[in-house]
Amino acid sequence: MKIKFSKMQGAGNDFVVIDSTKEQFSLSPENIRFLADRHFGVGADQVLVIEKTELPDVDFKYRIFNHDGGEVEQCGNGARCFARYVHNKGLTDKKKIKVETVKEIIEPELLDDGSVRVMMNTPSFRPSDLPFNPKGLPEREINGEKQWAVSFQGKLWWFSISSIGNPHVTIQVENLDETPIKELGSFIENHPAFPARVNVGFLQIQDPHHGKFAVWERGAGQTLACGTGNCAAAATAIKNEAMESPVALENLGGTLTLEWEGEGMNIYLRGPAEMVFDSEIEI
Ligand SMILES: N[C@H](CCC[C@H](N)C(=O)O)C(=O)O
């Protein structure tokens, strides 16, 4: 089967985007892994598949598949690239789009300055929403917020949990350059306390409105940015009164901006979304 696709990126998080609104594709996990493979396929952190939605007052459905072939609930950088794609390809002339994802409706908006702003719904801090089973892990409370810890390389690493539709752990560090992101990220991603695995974000706070962020993504490894991870880190830091909205986080692949007015409110993610090239591939 020959498939047309667009290669896109948002802050260096890269995607293969496939339009399945006209011709229905059912891609197996093996097909996804091939498309995402950086040696034998196109290469991407995630594969995004655009489909028709059955929901009233919603414009599209989009499905998100990680590099390892697994389908997941949400992708913030992907949402921005999705919006750029459907507009550039003439699938809609709307600048504010309603999109069905696995668990919720999100609303990306194409802004006049060329960036894209996405309403990413309300962050949750409930363990059951990840899911997260903390039994047996060291626990503490800071500013009324629970944190847990894992022991790794002879040190306790304290983390906060949150869900942006997909599961996240946020670890606040003094210096990203001295943090074992790959090793610790992979250890926590696959920890038995996270039955569905987890994304692991590392936040270095510079001042109440600025920070640096690095990430080990569930099913994709270390990426140059993770939109939902930035949402999780900013919401956690704002909730703990360590940062104040708006928050700009410098990722390896670019800067993302988060706006969140507090618990129970929607969080907004803003950043770039770029087309790289169009092509087709036989799978
Ligand atoms: N790895 C994530 C999915 C992609 C999220 C990320 N690329 C983003 O921009 O939010 C997960 O397994 O939940």
Side-chain angles (χ1 to χ4, degrees), residues 13 46 66 72 74-77 166 199 217-218 226-228:
N13 194 191
Q46 280 85 30
N66 273 330
V72 290
Q74 200 50 269
C75 181
N77 291 322
N166 60 344
N199 299 284
E217 282 197 41
R218 174 181 64 170
C226 173
T228 51

Side-chain angles (χ1 to χ4, degrees), residues 204-275:
Q204 178 184 333
I205 295 174
Q206 295 168 304
D207 67 49
H209 294 285
H210 299 88
K212 294 173 77 172
F213 182 77
V215 64
W216 176 270
E217 282 197 41
R218 174 181 64 170
Q222 183 167 11
T223 62
L224 300 186
C226 173
T228 51
N230 278 258
C231 291
T236 299
I238 292 166
K239 181 170 177 282
N240 296 348
E241 300 176 0
M243 299 189 89
E244 295 166 24
S245 182
V247 165
L249 295 183
E250 182 191 336
N251 293 249
L252 289 175
T255 297
L256 298 177
T257 303
L258 298 306
E259 298 162 81
W260 187 54
E261 295 312 316
E263 287 214 63
M265 305 296 280
N266 291 329
I267 190 162
Y268 292 82
L269 163 68
R270 183 161 57 81
E274 309 296 337
M275 301 291 284

